[in-house]
Amino acid sequence: METGDLIFVRGDSLVSKAVRFFDKGEFSHVAIALSDSHILEAQYFTKSRITPMYFSDYEIMKIPLTENEQHEALEIGVDLVGKWYDYLQIIGYVLNSNFNNPRQLICSEMIALFLFRLGKINNYEEYAYLKPNELYSKLNINFQESTG
């Protein structure tokens, strides 16, 4: 993995199973690679953080970045550290509503903000409320079109 790549995780915890149930897909979490060994993630029960890569079942989505964009990605990643987890948005998913605290983030919302600030997506709102599998599908199409 390289700086800026997205890490879509297939977790097997109880929370992961609940996410997959509501999201109707194989992924339960998503993080951003900040190096070949560290990721940025928004994880429940904690603030967003940079941590060594610890997942064992995942798929890497390559995001084509220039060297300058990789440096910018690191700066954006560091800037996103310390955001509380947005439980209100999770409740919104369960109730099929768009509840959101704009000062807090869930994993897929953090990815949308990261990509928007990096200039890789044009409309933050279009991506901010997607669940991990919805985000995976939409970005997969988006980046295939831009590279193919």
Side-chain angles (χ1 to χ4, degrees):
M1 68 184 183
E2 297 177 337
T3 301
D5 289 345
L6 305 182
I7 313 301
F8 285 86
V9 179
R10 297 174 192 94
D12 60 2
S13 71
L14 186 59
V15 172
S16 294
K17 289 175 184 176
V19 170
R20 286 197 317 270
F21 173 80
F22 285 105
D23 195 6
K24 311 283 189 257
E26 66 180 297
F27 301 110
S28 58
H29 186 56
V30 60
I32 304 162
L34 294 182
S35 72
D36 63 352
S37 62
H38 285 75
I39 60 171
L40 170 67
E41 68 173 343
Q43 183 72 275
Y44 56 90
F45 300 128
T46 187
K47 292 180 179 181
S48 55
R49 64 191 177 168
I50 297 172
T51 184
M53 175 64 164
Y54 61 94
F55 297 109
S56 60
D57 190 6
Y58 58 89
E59 183 174 321
I60 295 174
M61 180 180 287
K62 297 300 237 179
I63 305 299
L65 298 180
T66 65
E67 189 173 323
N68 285 341
E69 288 173 326
Q70 286 183 340
H71 290 295
E72 187 177 354
L74 283 172
E75 291 174 7
I76 294 167
V78 168
D79 189 50
L80 291 173
V81 168
K83 305 285 186 190
W84 282 107
Y85 195 76
D86 192 355
Y87 294 100
L88 189 60
Q89 190 165 349
I90 298 300
I91 292 168
Y93 286 152
V94 172
L95 299 176
N96 206 21
S97 298
N98 280 339
F99 297 136
N100 186 28
N101 181 335
R103 293 182 306 275
Q104 298 175 345
L105 298 171
I106 64 167
C107 62
S108 50
E109 182 182 19
M110 183 182 67
I111 301 302
L113 184 57
F114 174 81
L115 292 173
F116 177 74
R117 289 180 59 186
L118 198 54
K120 294 298 178 180
I121 60 173
N122 296 325
N123 185 346
Y124 168 73
E125 295 291 324
E126 183 179 341
Y127 293 82
Y129 302 104
L130 299 177
K131 300 174 195 95
N133 290 285
E134 295 169 336
L135 182 66
Y136 177 85
S137 295
K138 190 166 184 77
L139 289 176
N140 210 13
I141 292 167
N142 184 24
F143 288 116
Q144 281 182 352
E145 287 175 355
S146 67
T147 59

